[in-house]
Amino acid sequence: MQKQQAVSLQRRLVKTSVFSSIAAGLIALVLLLGISAYQIMSLQDQIMDEISDMLMLSDITKSSGQQVDELSDQFDIHYRLVFKGQTLTQSEDAENDVFQYLRQHAGQGYSLMWHQGELWRTFVQYNSDMTVYAVQPLAARFEEIVSTTASYAAILAVLWCLQWLIVHILIKRQFKSIHALSHQISEKSANDLEPIISQQPELAELQPMVKQLNHMLERVKHALIAEQRFTADASHELRSPLSAIQMRVQVLKRKYQDHAQLPDELKQIQQDVNRGTQVLENLLLLARLDPSNPEDLPKSKIDLADTTSEVLQALAPFVQEKSIQTHVQAADLPIYANAELIFTCLRNLVDNAIRYAQRNGQLNISMSVNQGQAQWVIADNGTEVTDEVLARLGERFYRALGTQTQGTGLGLSICKKVIELHQGSIVFSQSVLGGLEVKIELPLA
């Protein structure tokens, strides 16, 4: 299943706030467009009516005529004053064909006229023998509407940018308490399970979360204490009888060494006791390891080549018993690590390879540097490993079905945990020799 990408609540809040403001602004812009269109149409109609009244009632040879021309030029209104069919005056840019068409088709009052591919607003006023014609292209009114709307839209854009900046800063400031809580939670470990006490005023929405988290920490703390007590008790209660059994078996072997069958039976019992002791030690080791606190692990500079040589010397009798050919490609690989844990890890891997390798088989160990990492690889020619088995290798107590070799299923689990504790990686794959290949990568010193 594909992992879903995490969503930022802070970013979502900023987007929601800004987008809601943009939506409100766009609605206001549409309303402004409608109101502006209505007001501009009404105002321009009033101006056309005022020009008509001035032409009808005033002496156009005096200052009123100059005012008419100023209004005409300012608002792109064309006019013509007619007395008994004779034109007394008209605007300088008056188009005769427009007025001719208007005289034939338009009635008194306001109307709209389509002429020569353009829409015109017209006004006709009669007064006894005098007639005033006023026309204006609607494009002039649309230009004013567009200009007003564009100015408002520019102001809105600036306000939206300012709002985004202000909202981003304010929400980020409010999220400081959440980040502080997250930092406190990230610092928690098995050694620190005390309740979380916020140094800043908590948000009301966070209080239930913090309360439940503190309850969970308390339960985890009690569980860890119980596990530690169980581990200590198990170590004491199990080691003592196993050691006692081991000593008694050795005494019985010496006492009955001349017996025909009893020494062999006692040897088998001793192997079972050794196996039980190994299981106990492995369980206690797994319980003590904590990959979340690698800095608490005592480390020193060691060389993987030297550690490998020590492991092979310790397991030499088992190699000789199965007549396994061991090929080691050594290289200096200095690392900072816990010498005992790395020795245990490599010993488990080599022991596992010896157990599953065929008699007169082959075991290859190679060491190299890969992209700044110390790489240690072991491969055997044991039983072919399936993909299903590879996917589960490293699980505690897991052993493949049909395996005849004795084991506890903990060796690879311990190796996996040790490598995690050293910030390394361990990969299981099929070996070209036919068995299992284990690749370990650790940071170089």
Side-chain angles (χ1 to χ4, degrees):
M1 182 181 294
Q2 187 176 3
K3 186 177 180 181
Q4 293 184 351
Q5 187 176 4
V7 179
S8 171
L9 177 59
Q10 178 178 338
R11 187 177 301 174
R12 178 171 288 184
L13 287 175
V14 173
K15 286 183 177 180
T16 302
S17 177
V18 175
F19 286 166
S20 60
S21 177
I22 291 176
L26 291 176
I27 293 174
L29 184 62
V30 172
L31 293 175
L32 174 69
L33 182 62
I35 294 172
S36 297
Y38 175 78
Q39 290 181 343
I40 289 175
M41 292 292 289
S42 299
L43 178 61
Q44 301 279 4
D45 286 347
Q46 291 177 6
I47 293 174
M48 294 177 73
D49 183 65
E50 184 178 350
I51 290 175
S52 298
D53 291 341
M54 293 175 66
L55 291 171
M56 284 281 193
L57 305 176
S58 304
D59 187 353
I60 59 176
T61 60
K62 297 184 179 180
S63 59
S64 60
Q66 184 178 358
Q67 294 177 2
V68 171
D69 290 335
E70 290 177 355
L71 289 173
S72 173
D73 294 338
Q74 182 178 356
F75 296 99
D76 197 17
I77 297 175
H78 310 285
Y79 63 86
R80 174 175 289 181
L81 178 61
V82 178
F83 179 73
K84 294 183 179 182
Q86 299 293 323
T87 301
L88 296 181
T89 184
Q90 64 180 16
S91 56
E92 295 181 358
D93 53 352
E95 299 183 12
N96 293 327
D97 55 343
V98 174
F99 287 108
Q100 187 68 24
Y101 184 87
L102 177 62
R103 184 176 180 181
Q104 295 175 359
H105 296 87
Q108 186 171 357
Y110 295 100
S111 63
L112 293 174
M113 178 182 69
W114 181 264
H115 182 65
Q116 294 182 351
E118 189 174 4
L119 190 62
W120 298 77
R121 181 66 167 171
T122 66
F123 180 72
V124 180
Q125 183 176 0
Y126 298 107
N127 185 2
S128 64
D129 296 330
M130 298 182 65
T131 304
V132 175
Y133 300 97
V135 296
Q136 181 190 34
L138 278 184
R141 300 188 180 189
F142 291 152
E143 288 178 1
E144 187 172 350
I145 294 173
V146 170
S147 176
T148 302
T149 306
S151 301
Y152 181 75
I155 295 174
L156 272 181
V158 173
L159 291 177
W160 286 333
C161 293
L162 290 176
Q163 184 193 20
W164 176 87
L165 181 62
I166 294 172
V167 169
H168 179 76
I169 293 174
L170 292 180
I171 291 181
K172 186 176 181 180
R173 184 175 299 176
Q174 294 299 323
F175 266 72
K176 282 185 177 180
S177 57
I178 298 179
H179 293 316
L181 177 62
S182 175
H183 180 69
Q184 285 184 277
I185 295 174
S186 66
E187 290 183 339
K188 293 296 178 183
S189 65
N191 299 323
D192 179 20
L193 295 175
E194 296 301 320
I196 296 174
I197 301 176
S198 178
Q199 303 296 330
Q200 299 179 356
E202 291 182 4
L203 297 175
E205 292 78 6
L206 291 180
Q207 290 178 357
M209 185 189 305
V210 174
K211 184 177 179 180
Q212 295 300 323
L213 185 59
N214 286 334
H215 286 325
M216 185 188 69
L217 289 174
E218 188 68 21
R219 292 194 298 270
V220 171
K221 182 178 179 181
H222 290 314
L224 286 177
I225 292 175
E227 182 181 355
Q228 291 171 356
R229 288 176 179 173
F230 170 78
T231 302
D233 294 341
S235 174
H236 176 73
E237 296 296 331
L238 294 177
R239 277 178 175 173
S240 298
L242 287 175
S243 299
I245 294 173
Q246 182 84 332
M247 291 178 61
R248 290 174 183 174
V249 169
Q250 291 176 358
V251 171
L252 289 173
K253 284 178 63 177
R254 288 195 298 269
K255 185 176 180 179
Y256 298 99
Q257 58 183 348
D258 296 331
H259 195 279
Q261 296 180 351
L262 189 58
D264 293 336
E265 298 294 335
L266 292 176
K267 182 179 179 180
Q268 183 63 41
I269 294 175
Q270 190 173 20
Q271 290 178 352
D272 293 338
V273 173
N274 290 335
R275 183 170 177 267
T277 303
Q278 183 182 3
V279 171
L280 174 62
E281 294 296 334
N282 289 339
L283 286 172
L284 295 177
L285 180 60
L286 279 174
R288 287 195 298 266
L289 296 181
D290 184 7
S292 64
N293 292 320
E295 64 277 359
D296 297 337
L297 186 68
K299 297 179 182 179
S300 60
K301 188 175 182 180
I302 62 174
D303 195 297
L304 283 179
D306 296 337
T307 306
T308 303
S309 178
E310 295 174 5
V311 169
L312 291 175
Q313 289 178 6
L315 297 175
F318 303 99
V319 174
Q320 295 172 2
E321 182 183 353
K322 297 185 70 172
S323 301
I324 296 176
Q325 296 181 3
T326 304
H327 301 279
V328 180
Q329 184 180 352
D332 293 333
L333 294 178
I335 61 172
Y336 279 108
N338 184 282
E340 289 76 14
L341 291 181
I342 291 297
F343 178 87
T344 300
C345 175
L346 299 187
R347 189 185 187 282
N348 282 341
L349 291 177
V350 175
D351 180 67
N352 185 78
I354 293 173
R355 287 174 181 269
Y356 288 93
Q358 300 175 3
R359 184 169 295 275
N360 299 319
Q362 186 175 347
L363 178 64
N364 292 346
I365 298 176
S366 63
M367 289 163 258
S368 61
V369 177
N370 181 31
Q371 297 181 353
Q373 298 278 314
Q375 188 177 88
W376 190 91
V377 183
I378 182 170
D380 61 68
N381 65 337
T383 306
E384 184 178 356
V385 185
T386 64
D387 293 337
E388 181 182 357
V389 173
L390 287 174
R392 298 195 60 186
L393 284 180
E395 296 181 10
R396 297 184 184 185
F397 302 106
Y398 172 73
R399 303 187 72 230
L401 294 177
T403 301
Q404 301 298 324
T405 305
Q406 291 186 348
T408 63
L410 289 173
L412 295 182
S413 299
I414 293 174
C415 293
K416 188 175 181 180
K417 202 163 187 180
V418 168
I419 298 303
E420 289 177 357
L421 197 63
H422 288 82
Q423 286 105 34
S425 64
I426 181 169
V427 179
F428 306 103
S429 61
Q430 293 182 351
S431 169
V432 294
L433 301 178
L436 176 67
E437 178 181 288
V438 184
K439 181 186 298 181
I440 291 176
E441 288 190 351
L442 292 167
L444 284 170

